Amino acid sequence: MDKVLNESEGHFFSSRKSTSDIKGKIFVGLTQLAVILIISILFIILAVIVYQGRSKFSWEFISSFPTNGMTEGGIFPALIGTFILVIVMSIAAVPFGTITALYLTEYASENSKFAAAVRFSVRTLAVVPSIIFGLFGLGFFIQFLGAGADTAFNGGELRWGQPNILWASLTMALLTLPVIIVSVEEALKTIPRELREASLALGATKWQTIKKVVLPGSVSGIMTGTILAVSRGAGEVAPILFTGAAYYLATLPGSLSDQFMNLGYHVYIMSTQSSDVEKTMPIQFATTLVLLILTLSLNVVAVIIRSRIRRKAK
Amino acid sequence: MKDIKIKVNDLSLYYGDKKALNEITMDIPANKVTALIGPSGCGKSTFLRCINRMNDLIPSVSITGKMLVEGVDIYDKNVDVVNIRKKIGMVFQKSNPFPKSIYENIAYGPRINGMKDKTELDEIVETSLRQAAIWDELKDRLDDSALGLSGGQQQRLCIARTLAVSPDIILMDEPASALDPISTSKIEELVHQLKEQYTIIIVTHNMQQAARTSDHTAFFYMGNLIEMGKTNSIFTKPVQKQTEDYITGRFG
């Protein structure tokens, strides 16, 4: 007791407290610095894009075709091409991803080796570089499936054995599949066991329970997954590089076997292949701005829906 | 024999290696209320869930012995579990209405059985709610979400939902344990009315509830059926010492 009250010990105690105080303050300062750094990087990127692109950004820019060797005019076909791409991609990826998530959460038993292998594959798929998907799409969809289909049904005439919307969309679907699977899985898990039991106890089969209780309760999760996948798919370029994106098209695509223009790809070619890079600079930035607005707003919607699900789950 | 609804023969249940029910043998009479009592973890709920094969949902569970419902072993390979559950309804401890309207909650069971006709469905919804003594409270708000009801109303809605599939047997797993005294007495009253038409098996923690509502009582302890008999005699002159200790509150 005496020792604790001893003056020198008291000093020792308080001085140690102040060193840890300083260390704490330094650490807090560092974290604040990191936060400021990240926010400013984001802000600078946004500011540069908005500043550089604003002169070009207009309704006319969005709604008209490129003109004059793509040094003037708008990005309408690239915008439409991106829309078609993500729609066809979603039609392929959402049902497939939802079914996979259903298998993983509803059907696979807890210690199923197969389910573990599927989960591992999904995780691996998520970290494969996107250019690999592009090469895979070229090899599998175009050269194997497409060329095979041409030989079998088209008498060897080239129709499907070349880059087009369908193959690009399917390639993109593979890339975004993990996003959908994970989101849907998360949503399925929030359906309480009590509700499943209530349905089963009324004599519903497992499938009826899934169809009438589990899936309706997971709609917002499926939507979140779809939106995140769409926003990812709208921004990726590498997978469509060899599988369907076109440099320039004078008309909008009319069938799945046509090539298409794409926002991300448009930025890429504008900055690397253009005849006059200086002149097209504003077009590049304005295109980037459109792409950014598109993906950012999709992400915001996804975040809102997701937070609603989380609140509901609590 | 005619008024025995369920005949249980040497039924044992294992969670993996752990034996949770030990060679249960009992007869459950038709159109009566049978209460299953016993301390927590004694196996009474597990046993209840054997009767409509809800334990099938737990992968590690294995069951031996026989569970004969009207002479049919429900664990026989040729028996369809879906039909079992249509015939044997269940009301859970925590009320679990679907996040749908009151009407859709009741119509759920008939709909999965393929009933589409609107007038027929309307009729079933009304009779089921009447049977569950909740029609007058809810008839003007059938399209409202069931989640907006009070706990007691939700539980009676769940009972009505079970009745809509017209089962023979109703299993109730502590149906009033989360409810206030007034709601509890409504549920008990309901149980009393329903036994005219249904065979009811009710798990309860509450001795008074067992005494008030049931005709027969079975006392479970550590996975064993210790004693079963008329509720009157179980509560007034139990044969087994353990039963007496439990109902007089010496343990549990």
Side-chain angles (χ1 to χ4, degrees), chain A residues 176-231:
Chain A
T176 54
L177 212 45
V179 179
I180 296 174
I181 293 172
V182 170
S183 301
V184 178
E185 250 194 297
E186 202 181 305
L188 293 175
K189 280 181 192 153
T190 62
I191 308 292
R193 193 177 55 107
E194 289 83 10
L195 286 188
R196 297 163 200 263
E197 286 191 340
S199 171
L200 293 169
L202 289 167
T205 60
K206 187 162 188 171
W207 171 237
Q208 285 171 324
T209 303
I210 288 172
K211 200 172 60 177
K212 299 195 74 172
V213 175
V214 177
L215 278 180
S218 314
V219 167
S220 42
I222 296 169
M223 267 167 60
T224 318
T226 309
I227 293 169
L228 287 175
V230 163
S231 115

Side-chain angles (χ1 to χ4, degrees), chain A residues 138-160:
Chain A
L138 177 67
F140 180 72
F141 289 128
I142 297 175
Q143 292 176 348
F144 178 70
L145 284 187
D150 282 342
T151 327
F153 308 112
N154 254 352
E157 196 189 325
L158 194 63
R159 178 170 155 85
W160 295 103

Side-chain angles (χ1 to χ4, degrees), chain A residues 91-107:
Chain A
I91 291 171
V94 172
F96 201 57
T98 305
I99 289 167
T100 309
L102 273 178
Y103 167 75
L104 288 174
T105 45
E106 304 295 318
Y107 287 99

